[in-house]
Amino acid sequence: MSQILVVNYGYNNGHSENANAICLYNIIVNDPKNHYIIVTDIGGHKIKQDCKNAEIISLSSGLNHAESRDVFKKDVMGFCEKIILEKSISNLLIVSFPIFCAKIGYKLKKKFSHLNFLFYQLDSYSVNASLRLKNVLFPIRYFWDYIIFRYADKILLTHEIYGKYQRNFLFKSFFHKMISIGIPIMNITKFNYRDNNRDCIRVVYIGSLNLQFRDPNPYLRLLYNHIKDIKNFELIFYGHNNDVIDNLILSQYGKKMVLKSFVKPNDLSEVIRNADFLLNICNESLDILPSKILEYIGYRKPIINFTPNNKNIGVKYLADFPLKFNFYQNKNNEGFKDFVLNNRNNLAPYEIVEKNYHSLTTKFIVDNISKIYK
């Protein structure tokens, strides 16, 4: 059994709400043979422990959010040093964002050279083109990526970010450390849940909306012409920033569209089980993957994929999924109504999904991470 020290901001087991903490939870819960010591910011009175192979240490119990961040950044380095010495830690795992956690990782590695420092970057700090356009301090981002990569023993990346770094000559000296490993979020379910007692056809979107990266309005204007005559059609948005949906569109859809608050992680499965179709909205950037699409595939329910064009990474990931409809921004999307009417209560065959997506499952990814530990 290996012992792994983890520094993560926002970790709260299966109750975590930020993407990096959720992915960390998926790693831990699928790796029972190793022991994880997690140093986090969330107040101890709020943490609900549900991983037997994890020890969670809070540095800001009882403090509010603003205070906890300051205390965490101030105290975490000394606290981690103490744990490394007392428990003879050999492995350090940092799941980034935020970047200050990665900075702590490189400082610990610099002080304790024996550490096996794994830097898991789920969201690029320096090669994200959409961020670069707005950030005049982007050279600083390159600097910190370079420093952290220099000290990391292995750099674990999503497949898309791996490709970006491999095309960037500034990081050529670190190519041998980089591993294209994916996002630990897909779990292919075997359940065959169908709701034959509900009259309406329910389409569900879960996640945040953003006018710059995931603007739903152009798609919704087109969609209405396809669903206006479908009796009891219901489109539900669970998430942040629902106010970006145009008021004219809300008025047009009327009772066919419902806006709800962000669904808590523990309630996610129930919401998806009660949906007939799952809606994904691709990012405008061709190679930024919404991780939600991986979760959707795992549930095997029919997926409606809003995409600007057929070159988008979301279209690529859905290519081998049997029950999907790519709904394009600038096409008439012929056949969509039939797809909806014919596929309610259908599920993609488990055997096909498992065969086509096994290498993207959480278990496959975690097994490969586990092999890197000392």
Side-chain angles (χ1 to χ4, degrees):
M1 179 181 74
S2 297
Q3 284 204 107
I4 302 99
L5 175 63
V6 181
V7 180
N8 187 260
Y9 193 76
Y11 184 80
N12 189 15
N13 287 285
H15 306 269
S16 299
E17 294 191 4
N18 76 63
N20 299 310
I22 291 170
C23 287
L24 175 59
Y25 170 77
N26 288 337
I27 292 171
I28 293 169
V29 79
N30 284 278
D31 189 21
K33 63 180 179 293
N34 290 315
H35 183 70
Y36 291 81
I37 302 169
I38 304 134
V39 180
T40 189
D41 63 297
I42 290 180
H45 61 294
K46 293 183 178 180
I47 293 177
K48 299 179 181 180
Q49 177 71 12
D50 57 8
C51 288
K52 294 181 180 179
N53 62 325
E55 175 185 349
I56 305 177
I57 302 168
S58 168
L59 297 188
S60 50
S61 182
L63 301 178
N64 63 37
H65 179 72
E67 292 172 333
S68 72
R69 188 179 180 99
D70 291 339
V71 169
F72 184 75
K73 293 174 73 172
K74 175 177 175 288
D75 296 344
V76 66
M77 185 68 185
F79 202 84
C80 288
E81 290 177 5
K82 183 179 178 182
I83 293 173
I84 291 168
L85 293 172
E86 289 183 352
K87 297 182 179 289
S88 301
I89 299 294
S90 298
N91 298 284
L92 173 65
L93 174 64
I94 302 291
V95 182
S96 181
F97 273 27
I99 193 63
F100 71 73
C101 287
K103 293 177 182 179
I104 292 163
Y106 108 81
K107 290 177 182 177
L108 288 171
K109 172 67 178 186
K110 188 176 181 180
K111 184 163 187 174
F112 300 97
S113 60
H114 74 280
L115 282 177
N116 179 29
F117 174 24
L118 278 62
F119 178 46
Y120 199 161
Q121 195 176 52
L122 293 165
D123 195 357
S124 168
Y125 194 57
S126 64
V127 298
N128 188 332
S130 58
L131 292 176
R132 187 183 307 124
L133 293 173
K134 291 201 166 220
N135 198 327
V136 294
L137 299 178
F138 225 84
I140 295 177
R141 289 174 174 257
Y142 274 103
F143 170 80
W144 278 115
D145 255 1
Y146 191 91
I147 293 296
I148 294 162
F149 286 5
R150 178 184 171 191
Y151 282 91
D153 291 281
K154 294 295 180 184
I155 304 160
L156 312 181
L157 302 167
T158 69
H159 302 308
E160 292 68 47
I161 295 175
Y162 176 84
K164 285 185 174 184
Y165 279 120
Q166 291 287 315
R167 295 190 294 270
N168 192 316
F169 74 93
L170 292 175
F171 298 101
K172 187 175 181 179
S173 59
F174 306 122
F175 286 175
H176 67 287
K177 297 183 179 184
M178 295 180 180
I179 301 174
S180 179
I181 206 158
I183 306 172
I185 203 166
M186 182 193 296
N187 297 298
I188 302 173
T189 60
K190 291 185 177 180
F191 79 89
N192 291 302
Y193 181 85
R194 292 175 172 85
D195 187 354
N196 295 309
N197 298 318
R198 181 167 31 82
D199 291 333
C200 71
I201 295 175
R202 180 174 294 166
V203 179
V204 166
Y205 175 82
I206 302 168
S208 62
L209 299 174
N210 185 297
L211 290 177
Q212 181 181 358
F213 303 118
R214 286 187 298 276
D215 183 359
N217 292 305
Y219 303 102
L220 293 174
R221 294 186 185 98
L222 291 173
L223 181 70
Y224 184 75
N225 292 326
H226 294 275
I227 59 91
K228 63 183 179 182
D229 296 325
I230 299 178
K231 186 179 180 181
N232 296 328
F233 180 91
E234 185 178 61
L235 173 57
I236 306 178
F237 285 87
Y238 290 90
H240 298 303
N241 305 324
N242 286 337
D243 57 346
V244 307
I245 298 176
D246 191 285
N247 287 331
L248 291 176
I249 292 175
L250 289 173
S251 177
Q252 184 181 43
Y253 275 77
K255 292 182 179 180
K256 290 182 180 291
M257 184 181 293
V258 180
L259 306 183
K260 295 194 175 186
S261 59
F262 194 78
V263 61
K264 295 181 179 179
N266 284 351
D267 299 327
L268 179 63
S269 293
E270 188 62 24
V271 168
I272 290 180
R273 286 171 187 264
N274 288 318
D276 298 305
F277 297 85
L278 303 175
L279 173 63
N280 178 67
I281 304 177
C282 288
N283 288 305
E284 290 299 313
S285 178
L286 296 179
D287 53 3
I288 298 179
L289 177 72
S291 59
K292 191 65 65 179
I293 202 171
L294 299 175
E295 283 189 271
Y296 284 177
I297 290 170
Y299 281 98
R300 299 165 40 229
K301 293 220 167 188
I303 297 173
I304 298 168
N305 185 43
F306 284 178
T307 179
N309 53 62
N310 59 11
K311 295 181 180 179
N312 193 281
I313 192 68
V315 175
K316 174 186 172 183
Y317 271 82
L318 285 172
D320 295 321
F321 187 73
L323 291 178
K324 86 280 187 174
F325 192 98
N326 291 314
F327 193 95
Y328 295 99
Q329 205 173 86
N330 299 308
K331 292 186 179 181
N332 60 17
N333 297 297
E334 185 177 348
F336 176 78
K337 185 176 180 179
D338 289 339
F339 174 79
V340 170
L341 294 175
N342 295 333
N343 284 295
R344 189 196 170 200
N345 274 329
N346 285 345
L347 292 171
Y350 173 84
E351 294 76 12
I352 292 177
V353 178
E354 170 64 28
K355 177 184 176 182
N356 293 345
Y357 292 95
H358 177 72
S359 64
L360 296 176
T361 61
T362 297
K363 186 178 185 310
F364 183 88
I365 292 169
V366 173
D367 284 349
N368 282 315
I369 294 173
S370 184
K371 294 173 183 176
I372 307 172
Y373 296 145
K374 285 183 180 178

